[in-house]
Amino acid sequence: MKALEFVNLAKKFGDFTAFKNMNFSVEKGEIHALLGENGAGKSTLMNTLFGLYTPTSGHIKISDQEVKINSPLDAFRLKIGMVHQHFMLIPTMTVIQNILLGSERMNVFGAIDYKADRSKLEELSATYNLNINLDQKIEDISVGMQQRVEILKILFKDANILIFDEPTAVLTPQEIKDFEKILFRLKADQKSILLITHKLKEIKNVADRCTIIRKGEYIETVDVKSTTELELASKMVGRSVDFHLEKTPVLSTENIFEIRNLKVKDKKGLCKLNDLSLELKKGEIYGLAGVDGNGQRELAEAIYGLTPIEGGHIFLNGFELTNITPEKTHQNKISMIPEDRHKTGLVLDYSLEENFILHDRRQLPFSKKGLLQFKAIKEHAKKLIARFDIRPTDETQLAQNLSGGNQQKIILAREIEHTPELLIAVQPTRGLDVGAIEVVHKELLKLKAQGKTVLLISFELDEILALSDRIGIIFNGSISKSLTGPDFDRKLIGLYMTGQMKT
Ligand SMILES: Nc1ncnc2c1ncn2[C@@H]1O[C@H](COP(=O)(O)OP(=O)(O)OP(=O)(O)O)[C@@H](O)[C@H]1O
Ligand SMILES: [Mg+2]
């Protein structure tokens, strides 16, 4: 039975068509994937279903009835719930406070009565194996757990149609497995699920059907079982794609970057890096594998000068760079693609032009005698937009109006264009479509061919295996094992990652 149908649905922003001719339906008890390149219009389509945008033409049917969804309140009334690409929880409040926000009941004394809803929440959490502690503060729980809170929040409102916008982009491999189990449980309960994801493997694992959108246009809906990953990818980009990467040998034996006995503590005084030592060669890609929370974040931040170093030393080309500012790090030709693009990568209400020169705006050729050189800035922006295929191509638009994947490309372009001696790439392809991932991987290999060094930190083991010349496993704040490629034993890496093997 059809739970939902899009009929000729279209949305324009001014002259720009975000999507058009959307004609497909979602069944009850179906997991329906949405696949499309960065900027294809997936989030906008789902935001329209959730009542955040009004369609320009066409309509939506729920259980065969035409409906108007003018706000998220309408959506909730129609039992539609959404977990957004960037979560919407208040960090300083507890889980239960977040879930009941705005719908709190009062007791006879006029105080908020959480008891009334607590048992329903506990029951839902148990039914769907969410394992949520209702009294923890959001800021104290993992991203995976925060996502479950978002899920609980919409289940609490009895949603039957659940929209997930790139839910696994922020999860670790273990969390993804748990999330998939939750999806299957929801499906068994006859919920309809719309799932945006760039991961083809995931579509094969969980989805029944997949709708493909290209540049705002509906292409087709395919049966997932009878379609291969490569077919999905080619349909999505409209050309054949090549997953194969040519790994070239490392030419130099010279160590260019060195970390000696690094010690870093977090805000609570807990030891996060514990005597970590590491040497990187000129022209190599060194992959850092590990389970989230073993010090990856702290290592990247310590090198870049974003977190204080308690002990140890960092050298680039023999020069000590311990505890210097991010500005100095940048001047010393170290670049970073940060983990959180909104917090540290971009200024969302700056234009693309401005974001591209964020670090270099006071230097030639962008500034002369204290005056900004607008022509040079514009040319620089146009060049990067073309090279990294950033869409749409207008360099004066604000970063916040770009799709998630295109925002990521802005950062990549800026940091790679800096021709760093060392690039720290933290989750560089998070949220990118397969075509864009291909572009980024080739750019990283190009840097390597130019004799530059890349420290690749990623939770995607496939990505680490495909690109790395050596792999280090980080466990409990230090490198527990270093392996030399080009071929690696995936199982062995897994054992080191989980601490089952130590030396
Ligand atoms: N409020 C807005 N004003 C103008 N243009 C917008 C607005 N919101 C989105 N767009 C444009 O609509 C297009 C579709 O964006 P959308 O976020 O839906 O892409 P997406 O398919 O979700 O991509 P990604 O995989 O990168 O998340 C993009 O070109 C984006 O720049
Ligand atoms: Mg999106």
Side-chain angles (χ1 to χ4, degrees), residues 38-39 41-44 85 165-166 196 198 403-405:
N38 296 126
K42 306 175 297 291
S43 294
T44 311
Q85 208 162 352
D165 194 347
E166 294 193 42
I196 300 181
H198 290 295
S403 74

Side-chain angles (χ1 to χ4, degrees), residues 190-333:
Q190 290 298 299
K191 308 272 184 200
S192 302
I193 294 169
L194 277 149
L195 174 71
I196 300 181
T197 177
H198 290 295
K199 298 178 185 174
L200 303 171
K201 238 186 222 154
E202 192 169 295
I203 295 180
K204 287 294 283 182
N205 279 349
V206 303
D208 301 298
R209 290 190 299 159
C210 175
T211 285
I212 293 144
I213 300 173
R214 198 191 306 147
K215 295 188 176 147
E217 220 169 313
Y218 172 77
I219 302 294
E220 65 176 303
T221 301
V222 298
D223 174 49
V224 170
K225 267 205 194 69
S226 53
T227 316
T228 65
E229 284 182 38
L230 261 178
E231 280 167 346
L232 285 173
S234 325
K235 282 180 200 290
M236 165 188 143
V237 293
R239 61 175 166 91
S240 64
V241 282
D242 175 14
F243 288 141
H244 185 72
L245 289 172
E246 210 52 66
K247 245 194 234 176
T248 51
V250 181
L251 297 175
S252 170
T253 52
E254 181 192 343
N255 280 334
I256 187 170
F257 182 72
E258 192 185 338
I259 294 178
R260 263 191 240 149
N261 305 96
L262 204 63
K263 278 198 182 62
V264 166
K265 289 186 178 155
D266 69 4
K267 281 185 214 120
K268 291 177 184 153
L270 294 173
C271 189
K272 285 293 178 176
L273 293 181
N274 197 356
D275 261 341
L276 183 142
S277 296
L278 181 64
E279 284 177 358
L280 304 184
K281 291 192 182 68
K282 197 172 154 62
E284 80 167 338
I285 299 183
Y286 184 96
L288 194 69
V291 174
D292 189 18
N294 275 285
Q296 292 93 323
R297 192 164 297 126
E298 290 76 12
L299 177 62
E301 290 185 352
I303 300 173
Y304 205 73
L306 288 164
T307 209
I309 293 169
E310 303 262 331
H313 303 272
I314 299 177
F315 300 95
L316 179 71
N317 270 326
F319 288 101
E320 175 140 22
L321 301 182
T322 317
N323 268 331
I324 60 174
T325 62
E327 288 75 31
K328 275 266 166 347
T329 312
H330 176 79
Q331 283 163 19
N332 277 288
K333 288 282 178 191

Side-chain angles (χ1 to χ4, degrees), residues 416-458:
I416 289 180
E417 175 68 11
H418 184 52
T419 54
E421 290 301 326
L422 172 69
L423 172 70
I424 311 162
V426 189
Q427 303 273 64
T429 56
R430 171 183 279 181
L432 292 190
D433 67 56
V434 288
I437 290 176
E438 200 186 338
V439 171
V440 172
H441 284 173
K442 289 194 170 143
E443 289 286 344
L444 294 182
L445 290 172
K446 223 190 267 171
L447 269 183
K448 167 184 160 174
Q450 292 164 3
K452 312 296 184 193
T453 304
V454 179
L455 174 60
L456 172 66
I457 303 179
S458 174

